[in-house]
Amino acid sequence: MSDTLKQLAAVLEARKQASPDSSYVASLYHKGLDAILKKIGEEATETVMAAKDGEKDKIIYETADLWFHTLVLLAQQGLGPDDVLQELQRRFGLSGLEEKASRKAD
């Protein structure tokens, strides 16, 4: 995992203990799952709109926001970036069609 993801995951974990008044992330944790999911939905929409506009800087900015809020969700659920990276590694070398078919079999 990249150093940036490791550092961010550690900060997000630490924010679980912070006062909601002291940190944006702590306030999201305090508000609960629905607030976090709402932010992910907003950021996903903004990412799509940035892509439709074709402005690369906006795409990068909005994707960073989407990833960030997704990492908040993972931490809130007791997961981390390593869990997602392991899943991506598991899928590596599989065609998308094979991977999708394997989900249907489960």
Side-chain angles (χ1 to χ4, degrees), residues 2-104:
S2 81
D3 288 341
T4 302
L5 283 177
K6 284 181 186 176
Q7 292 168 351
L8 185 51
V11 169
L12 294 177
E13 197 60 36
R15 292 294 191 268
K16 288 180 177 181
Q17 309 308 317
S19 165
D21 297 332
S22 69
S23 156
Y24 169 71
V25 171
S27 73
L28 279 177
Y29 289 144
H30 180 75
K31 291 175 188 173
L33 181 61
D34 286 346
I36 296 168
L37 295 175
K38 182 179 178 187
K39 280 305 294 181
I40 291 173
E42 290 171 9
E43 298 304 342
T45 299
E46 290 171 4
T47 302
V48 168
M49 292 178 354
K52 292 290 275 181
D53 291 344
E55 296 181 39
K56 292 182 187 219
D57 288 347
K58 280 177 116 176
I59 294 168
I60 292 167
Y61 182 87
E62 296 302 343
T63 300
D65 280 352
L66 178 58
W67 285 15
F68 176 83
H69 287 90
T70 301
L71 290 168
V72 170
L73 169 67
L74 289 172
Q76 192 263 353
Q77 294 289 308
L79 300 167
D82 273 338
D83 297 301
V84 177
L85 292 172
Q86 288 172 9
E87 175 60 15
L88 289 172
Q89 182 62 43
R90 183 192 69 78
R91 294 180 188 187
F92 196 81
L94 286 177
S95 81
L97 296 174
E98 288 173 324
E99 197 283 324
K100 209 168 190 174
S102 74
R103 283 189 265 159
K104 290 179 182 176

